[in-house]
Amino acid sequence: MKPELIERYLSVLGVQRRKPGTGALYELVRAQVLQVPFENVSKLYYKKHHKQQGLPDLESHLDGMERFHFGGTCYSNNIFFYQLMASLGYQVSLCGADMQNPDVHLVSMVTLEQREYLVDVGYAAPFLTPLPCDLKTDYNLVLGRDHYVLKPRDDRGYSRMELYRDGSLKHRYNVNPKPRHVQEFDQVIADSYRKDSTFMKAILLARFFPNRSLVIHNLTMIESHGTKSSIRVLKDRDELVQAVSKYFLIPEEFTRDVVQDIDQFNDAWN
């Protein structure tokens, strides 16, 4: 990553460059999750108007963050943050994560002071800190109706993340600890732009704050604080566009432009 882009990225996050260390890493991860939302409005817009089939370049990604309050989905948020950590001197690997299919998610694994941490800033989840992987028992994190469980590594060295919603298993992924190159994900990223892929047929935005979150999933808005969640059903697509503008500060024209192309909303967590 070019030095000027490192400084620009850090400026967007609102943090100063620091020597790699546990405190600095915690500050960096927290800033990323609090400042950069998970959202697929930009993905849909770039696909429609720029014929995008892969990652945007870093400058375009930062432009979107600065000008339109964009963030990204798992690939862009995690890959660019991985590159930032590597450029700052962290010992970090990019790793694939399997769901129903291999490598459909990716995360970073950071080795620091003889410990290894999972860093995932692209799961629409409140992972405000690096998550320890040298576990003997489950690592639990609860926000509202969502309960995240990071399991101890299995015999293969895989870590498993599970998401329980209202007490039922909703989603999960398994992290393959083998270090990967960004280019190895080119095809799966291209596949994510297919018409039938998850984020071409759904709207999902998630914004996090200390101890609370705001999620817009299609025509539902979920606000969580502590262990409580409140759910509001948006009456139509116009109200969806207005909610995205009000709570995520993304200009209405972007959301309005892309939601009109989705015939029927799918469940983004399915």
Side-chain angles (χ1 to χ4, degrees), residues 218-236:
N218 298 326
L219 294 179
T220 303
M221 188 163 71
I222 308 104
E223 295 186 71
S224 298
H225 189 280
T227 61
K228 304 294 184 181
S229 290
S230 62
I231 300 174
R232 172 186 161 197
V233 177
L234 305 173
K235 64 182 180 181
D236 54 27

Side-chain angles (χ1 to χ4, degrees), residues 30 59 83 125 139 221 227 243 245:
R30 182 180 179 86
E59 290 189 65
Q83 292 176 343
Y139 182 98
M221 188 163 71
T227 61
S245 175

Side-chain angles (χ1 to χ4, degrees), residues 165 170-171 197-199 201-204 217-218 264-270:
R165 178 161 295 152
K170 180 67 175 178
H171 205 269
S197 65
T198 298
F199 290 117
K201 298 180 71 64
I203 294 292
L204 180 62
H217 180 219
N218 298 326
Q264 183 175 348
F265 290 124
N266 286 357
D267 183 351
W269 280 287
N270 185 3

Side-chain angles (χ1 to χ4, degrees), residues 59-94:
E59 290 189 65
S60 297
H61 185 62
L62 294 173
D63 281 344
M65 292 159 64
E66 292 173 330
R67 298 175 60 195
F68 308 122
H69 302 279
F70 287 161
T73 56
C74 73
Y75 300 120
S76 54
N77 281 357
N78 270 325
I79 286 176
F80 289 130
F81 192 64
Y82 154 76
Q83 292 176 343
L84 176 64
M85 290 188 289
S87 297
L88 291 173
Y90 287 95
Q91 184 181 341
V92 55
S93 299
L94 189 67

Side-chain angles (χ1 to χ4, degrees), residues 91-107:
Q91 184 181 341
V92 55
S93 299
L94 189 67
C95 297
D98 305 338
M99 295 179 185
Q100 289 183 336
N101 295 308
D103 290 342
V104 292
H105 186 55
L106 50 82
V107 301

